[in-house]
């Protein structure tokens, strides 16, 4: 288990530019094929930080992202947009030789974002990523991948994504009855194009989101929506109520199949939730 060393204790590797997410996804898929080296894994997390400086906002990408996720068109970045900007750097870390969990098959089970102040499209960000807290789980192992965005040396944004690497067959569903779904405040139809459009604006072209065949290879009857699209869509519904600085945390539950109809609920004390038509949970979140 990682002892959460101070970030300053990790050696830092500065990359000249943001990696290409598509090439990294292809590397991960090829590495998962038998005989191509996908089985070589380290026992521990890489004790390194990766960093890229001077990342500018692509205004066309931002406008497309706002449309796909339901945000108002604005020069202010949605809290989830820096995740998209810096995700290729985190992907580079997770596809490095020796990373203890294979990217193919990783399940994104949670995400926490803290925005310290509004970030605008005319600002240039420096991104740093590292992994921490590799820990056992009843269905395998979990790890946190941290992504930090800074402007002129000041941290303005931080995201922590929790991933589950499933191993073995132990650990089933948690016992107990499922609580009743909250009363919906909105209902959304999620069409198949959400998978391909979000992949285009985010650079996350995992085939479980864009291809029926790709989804079936990983046990889904049809493609599923990106978890970070679901989080962004919920934040877009709350956009008028969000303060300038806040933390928003979500737990991803059942995936959202494409197409489907989902019910969004805004809860007291900053909570929100996404359920299917039968009341089964897709996402549970909290703004604080």
């Amino acid at each position: 288990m990682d002892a959460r060393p101070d970030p300053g204790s990790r050696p830092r590797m500065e990359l000249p530019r943001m990696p290409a997410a598509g090439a990294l996804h292809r590397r991960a898929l090829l590495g998962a094929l038998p005989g191509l080296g996908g089985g070589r894994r380290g026992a521990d997390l890489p004790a390194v930080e990766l960093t890229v400086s001077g990342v500018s906002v692509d205004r066309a990408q931002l406008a497309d992202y706002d449309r796909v996720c339901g945000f108002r068109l604005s020069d202010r970045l949605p809290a989830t947009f820096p995740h998209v900007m810096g995700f290729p750097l985190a992907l580079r870390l997770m596809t490095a030789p020796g990373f203890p969990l294979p990217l193919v098959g990783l399940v994104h089970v949670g995400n926490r974002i803290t925005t310290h102040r509004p970030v605008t499209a005319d600002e240039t960000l420096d991104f740093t990523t590292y992994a921490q807290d590799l820990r056992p789980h009843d269905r395998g192992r979990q790890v946190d991948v941290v992504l930090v965005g800074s402007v002129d040396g000041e941290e303005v944004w931080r995201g922590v994504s929790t991933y589950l690497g499933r191993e073995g067959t132990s650990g089933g569903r948690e016992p107990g009855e499922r609580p009743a779904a909250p009363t919906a405040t909105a209902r959304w139809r999620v069409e198949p194009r959400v998978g391909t459009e979000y992949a285009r604006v985010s650079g996350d072209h995992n085939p479980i989101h864009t291809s029926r065949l790709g989804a079936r290879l990983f046990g889904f009857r049809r493609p599923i929506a990106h978890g970070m699209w679901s989080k962004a869509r919920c934040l877009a519904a709350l956009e008028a109520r969000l303060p300038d600085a806040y933390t928003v945390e979500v737990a991803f539950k059942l995936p959202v199949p494409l197409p489907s109809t989902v019910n969004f609920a805004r809860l007291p004390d900053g909570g929100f939730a996404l359920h299917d038509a039968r009341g089964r949970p897709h996402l549970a979140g909290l703004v604080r």
Side-chain angles (χ1 to χ4, degrees):
M1 181 175 297
D2 188 16
R4 293 180 184 255
D6 293 333
S9 67
R10 299 182 180 90
R12 175 170 292 194
M13 178 185 300
E14 182 158 3
L15 305 184
R17 66 187 65 84
M18 192 62 72
L24 293 170
H25 274 296
R26 288 191 293 272
R27 177 198 294 177
L29 291 171
L30 289 173
L33 298 176
L36 292 182
R40 293 192 297 271
R41 297 287 159 194
D44 301 311
L45 293 173
V48 65
E49 295 180 4
L50 302 182
T51 182
V52 173
S53 299
V55 181
S56 299
V57 175
D58 182 327
R59 290 177 180 269
Q61 180 191 22
L62 174 61
D64 284 347
Y65 180 88
D66 286 344
R67 293 188 187 98
V68 170
C69 298
F71 292 103
R72 296 191 300 263
L73 296 181
S74 170
D75 279 348
R76 179 182 288 199
L77 307 189
T80 45
F81 190 70
H83 172 89
V84 167
M85 293 178 65
F87 180 68
L89 188 64
L91 198 60
R92 170 68 175 79
L93 180 73
M94 291 189 287
T95 56
F99 194 84
L101 302 176
L103 183 69
V104 174
L106 274 188
V107 181
H108 196 181
V109 296
N111 177 266
R112 182 176 70 253
I113 286 173
T114 298
T115 178
H116 298 292
R117 66 161 175 81
V119 182
T120 60
D122 60 353
E123 295 186 276
T124 299
L125 286 87
D126 304 327
F127 284 101
T128 299
T129 190
Y130 56 91
Q132 66 180 19
D133 199 14
L134 181 64
R135 57 198 183 272
H137 184 275
D138 61 0
R139 289 181 290 167
R141 288 183 293 172
Q142 284 187 338
V143 65
D144 293 335
V145 176
V146 181
L147 181 67
V148 178
S150 301
V151 175
D152 295 330
E154 172 199 7
E155 180 180 316
V156 296
W157 183 94
R158 175 178 291 256
V160 181
S161 290
T162 300
Y163 296 97
L164 169 66
R166 291 178 288 193
E167 300 168 345
T169 57
S170 62
R173 294 180 180 271
E174 294 183 1
E177 294 185 6
R178 184 174 65 238
T183 301
T185 53
R187 181 169 295 162
W188 304 324
R189 181 65 178 171
V190 188
E191 300 292 351
R193 66 175 181 273
V194 164
T196 54
E197 289 181 353
Y198 187 82
R200 176 176 53 81
V201 300
S202 69
D204 184 353
H205 292 278
N206 189 323
I208 66 172
H209 306 301
T210 59
S211 162
R212 184 176 291 270
L213 175 59
R216 286 180 175 174
L217 289 174
F218 291 97
F220 300 101
R221 287 185 295 176
R222 56 186 191 267
I224 61 174
H226 296 71
M228 290 302 294
W229 175 85
S230 299
K231 179 174 184 175
R233 184 65 186 87
C234 291
L235 285 183
L238 300 169
E239 190 172 13
R241 301 172 179 268
L242 296 174
D244 285 344
Y246 61 94
T247 293
V248 55
E249 186 165 9
V250 299
F252 298 117
K253 306 292 187 178
L254 298 175
V256 177
L258 299 174
S260 64
T261 299
V262 296
N263 294 325
F264 170 77
R266 180 170 55 83
L267 307 175
D269 302 322
F272 58 95
L274 203 62
H275 289 76
D276 69 7
R278 297 168 57 185
R280 296 176 300 183
H282 292 303
L283 176 153
L286 179 66
V287 175
R288 49 185 171 83

